[in-house]
Amino acid sequence: MLKTEELQLNIGPQHPSTHGVFRLVATIDGETVIHIEPIFGYLHRNHEQLGEVNSYLMNIPFTDRLDYFNSMANNHGYTLAVEKLAGIEVPERAEYIRVMMAELSRILNHATALGFMLNDMGAWQTGLLWGMREREKILDLYEMVAGSRMMCNYFRFGGVVRDIGLEWLAELNDLMYALPHFFDEFEALLSDNELMLIRSRGVGILPQELAISYSVTGPLLRGSGVPYDVRKAEPYSVYDRFKFDIPVGSVGDIYDRYLVRVEEMRQSYHIIQQAIEQLPDAKGSHINSKVKQQSLRPPVGDAYGRVETPKGELGFYLVSDGSGKAYRYKVRAPSFINLSALSDMCRGHKVADVVVILGSIDIVMGEVDR
């Protein structure tokens, strides 16, 4: 039997569709991967250190820059932690608005993440362009209410910045009318596609036990067959009022993660439908508690707020010393933790599979490096 010499291959540092500079050190035997070591830190911006010198309010726009595909979801996690710390209640109408924004974020994330993964396979641009088309519609909705498309800075302690109007709801209803057709079309294009099946089935398998031991969350965990979702495990906002399922895979390969994300978009659609139907009338409703945002001084103590973002569990751990800024500000970033399983998922596969497996994890370097 021919014995080949192991070789270390540097993939990067570069920008392999990960929204930030990233490097992989791959140990290979021929074309077969033996070990993968992710190297990051090129985009480190001292996020947690800044969180301890800024006022609580000043940190909200900084959370936009974590997973900047999903700034609304980031805002949600941080404001939830501060509200726990300070004992702030959120008006009912504001909670429904928050949920709608978060679930729109899940749809735009999965639609584009799957499109990017197709590009990583060397496939056609159609899936990505379709996903980006739907994302643009959702970003238009964000711009209408927040004044910004990506760095929304929309949430506030005890609510949101401004209310949604009839015009906004009309635009949302137009989107909701068209989304089921997009879901069906997207699946028809991809689910039985020969290239998708060859490059994804049996590739990048993450066994259930290993997924749990790595503490991965989100579609990566659910693709391995674990029905864990923070919205069900510890319901926040008004998620306990909605009926929705937690899609899971059976094998834990790239294809399962694809199927989970497609079904999650459908479940987000159903949640938004219910939120629209249950939304309290604007008359007599508030969208913000009377909280002194700039001079907020939570009592001494600590709190952990967590939400189910499109990439998994995003958590903020805050410690208050009674001053106007956090004594300790710690982020549990799903992209960072999910990336820890990459080497096990790549072992035994070819170098060409590595980029596709990485794409199926769905990371953004803004929250990996922080």
Side-chain angles (χ1 to χ4, degrees), residues 191-340:
S191 294
D192 295 319
N193 181 272
E194 186 178 0
L195 179 61
M196 166 66 91
L197 296 176
I198 292 171
R199 296 300 306 275
S200 64
R201 278 190 169 168
V203 179
I205 294 175
L206 181 62
Q208 189 175 113
E209 299 78 15
L210 197 58
I212 294 170
S213 67
Y214 273 122
S215 298
V216 305
T217 53
L220 184 60
L221 177 65
R222 292 188 285 274
S224 296
V226 182
Y228 177 82
D229 188 309
V230 178
R231 295 171 296 174
K232 291 279 193 180
E234 188 183 342
Y236 52 94
S237 289
V238 286
Y239 276 108
D240 56 346
R241 303 182 188 182
F242 305 129
K243 293 181 180 179
F244 63 98
D245 298 323
I246 303 176
V248 293
S250 56
V251 179
D253 57 10
I254 293 174
Y255 192 71
D256 268 351
R257 292 190 279 278
Y258 154 75
L259 292 176
V260 164
R261 287 187 174 101
V262 171
E263 183 56 30
E264 282 191 5
M265 287 194 286
R266 294 187 186 277
Q267 295 302 319
S268 291
Y269 173 86
H270 294 316
I271 292 172
I272 296 169
Q273 271 188 322
Q274 295 171 71
I276 294 172
E277 292 168 1
Q278 299 176 24
L279 182 68
D281 194 278
K283 290 183 179 180
S285 298
H286 299 285
I287 50 107
N288 220 316
S289 299
K290 293 181 178 179
V291 176
K292 294 181 179 179
Q293 304 280 334
Q294 189 63 262
S295 57
L296 181 66
R297 292 175 178 269
V300 175
D302 64 340
Y304 179 67
R306 59 177 184 159
V307 294
E308 185 69 36
T309 71
K311 293 173 173 60
E313 180 182 326
L314 172 66
F316 290 86
Y317 175 67
L318 302 173
V319 179
S320 171
D321 59 3
S323 69
K325 56 189 179 183
Y327 173 78
R328 181 70 178 99
Y329 174 101
K330 171 67 178 174
V331 182
R332 184 212 186 274
S335 288
F336 174 75
I337 293 173
N338 292 353
L339 193 57
S340 62

Side-chain angles (χ1 to χ4, degrees), residues 129-184:
L129 292 175
W130 284 1
M132 293 296 283
R133 178 192 64 199
E134 302 308 310
R135 175 178 179 260
E136 286 300 304
K137 296 174 185 176
I138 295 172
L139 293 184
D140 286 344
L141 288 169
Y142 284 176
E143 187 176 19
M144 286 177 68
V145 74
S148 177
R149 296 166 66 77
M150 287 186 66
M151 309 304 167
C152 297
N153 188 24
Y154 178 62
F155 286 47
R156 288 295 180 270
F157 309 129
V160 293
V161 173
R162 61 185 63 86
D163 205 350
I164 55 177
L166 295 177
E167 184 184 356
W168 191 89
L169 283 170
E171 290 288 334
L172 176 61
N173 284 324
D174 287 345
L175 173 69
M176 294 292 285
Y177 179 79
L179 275 177
H181 176 68
F182 163 68
F183 299 147
D184 294 340

Side-chain angles (χ1 to χ4, degrees), residues 47-72:
H47 181 93
E48 292 182 3
Q49 290 77 17
L50 288 169
E52 294 166 8
V53 298
N54 290 334
S55 70
Y56 287 96
L57 179 64
M58 288 172 65
N59 283 330
I60 294 177
F62 280 84
T63 66
D64 291 338
R65 276 102 178 141
L66 288 168
D67 173 8
Y68 33 82
F69 251 60
N70 299 291
S71 66
M72 290 287 194

